[in-house]
Amino acid sequence: MTGKKEEIIKKVEAIGLVPVIRTRTQEDAVEAVGALVEAGVPVAEVTFSVPDAPGVIARLKKIHGKDCLVGAGTVTTCEECRQALEAGSDFIVTPVTVPEIIELCRARGVAMVCGALTPTEVFNAWSAGADVVKIFPATAMGGPTYIKNLSGPLSQVPVAPTGGVTPDNTEAYLRNGARFVGAGSDLVPAIVDEAAKAQIATQARRYLDAIKAARV
């Protein structure tokens, strides 16, 4: 892992949090990311469940430029991956392990976070070339304790839990081996109005406080 890809992974790890955007509309996604950036979280994963996700990614990159990393999430096909990359996606996130997507990202030199759950799946995803392995759904498997158990025999694999992550368990996840965490509906609701934007900012700061506490 070298060059731009390595730089992006390091930036994400430094932030410690990847908000997962699953909003109802394109406008909601744009407003949500704006609220996150203002709150001090310059990274977002726009999932393909958002209408015209590639268009949203391109729009966000135009608005925020280099001030915010914008990735594509819930990518399950090579075609979706290509669309996201053409839109300017900084990284790709899959919910499952798709070797062809890993190969495509490696060929393009793009940071890739691959979904897996069991120890065998985690190791296979890492061996196939994933830069980070997303543990999903993490809470269903025992939360921070599961990450600790994985990190023992698989300490060489960078892992990032998603699914049930909250400000209350973020510190424990990081202390037990997670490189960063992914936060979904707990942080960003499907509908983003003015009240929701204020809520996103408040919740984002709670996550950042937990990350800071874990790294003291």
Side-chain angles (χ1 to χ4, degrees), residues 19-158:
V20 181
I21 312 298
R22 293 186 181 280
T23 55
R24 178 192 57 179
T25 68
Q26 299 175 45
E27 287 301 324
D28 286 334
V30 172
E31 292 295 328
V33 174
L36 289 164
V37 172
E38 288 185 12
V41 183
V43 60
E45 172 192 330
V46 179
T47 69
F48 263 77
S49 61
V50 176
D52 188 21
V56 173
I57 291 169
R59 185 174 170 188
L60 288 170
K61 292 305 297 181
K62 184 176 181 179
I63 293 171
H64 298 288
K66 296 181 180 179
D67 295 330
C68 180
L69 296 175
V70 182
T74 319
V75 178
T76 57
T77 68
C78 286
E79 179 56 30
E80 289 176 340
C81 184
R82 291 188 187 95
Q83 290 175 10
L85 295 180
E86 289 172 3
S89 182
D90 293 305
F91 58 91
I92 299 294
V93 184
T94 65
V96 293
T97 300
V98 184
E100 294 80 8
I101 296 178
I102 296 176
E103 293 172 7
L104 177 57
C105 288
R106 284 174 61 86
R108 299 281 188 93
V110 176
M112 202 277 171
V113 181
C114 181
L117 187 59
T118 68
T120 297
E121 291 173 351
V122 171
F123 183 77
N124 286 344
W126 171 249
S127 298
D131 298 301
V132 178
V133 179
K134 179 178 78 170
I135 308 302
F136 172 80
T139 301
M141 294 298 286
T145 300
Y146 184 61
I147 299 301
K148 181 180 180 180
N149 291 338
L150 281 177
S151 296
L154 299 175
S155 59
Q156 76 276 29
V157 182

Side-chain angles (χ1 to χ4, degrees), residues 184-196:
S185 58
D186 178 76
L187 177 56
V188 179
I191 300 174
V192 182
D193 54 18
E194 288 302 316

Side-chain angles (χ1 to χ4, degrees), residues 153-189:
L154 299 175
S155 59
Q156 76 276 29
V157 182
V159 297
T162 302
V165 174
T166 69
D168 294 330
N169 59 28
T170 290
E171 181 178 350
Y173 272 122
L174 295 174
R175 288 188 181 277
N176 281 286
R179 297 294 183 90
F180 56 88
V181 299
S185 58
D186 178 76
L187 177 56
V188 179

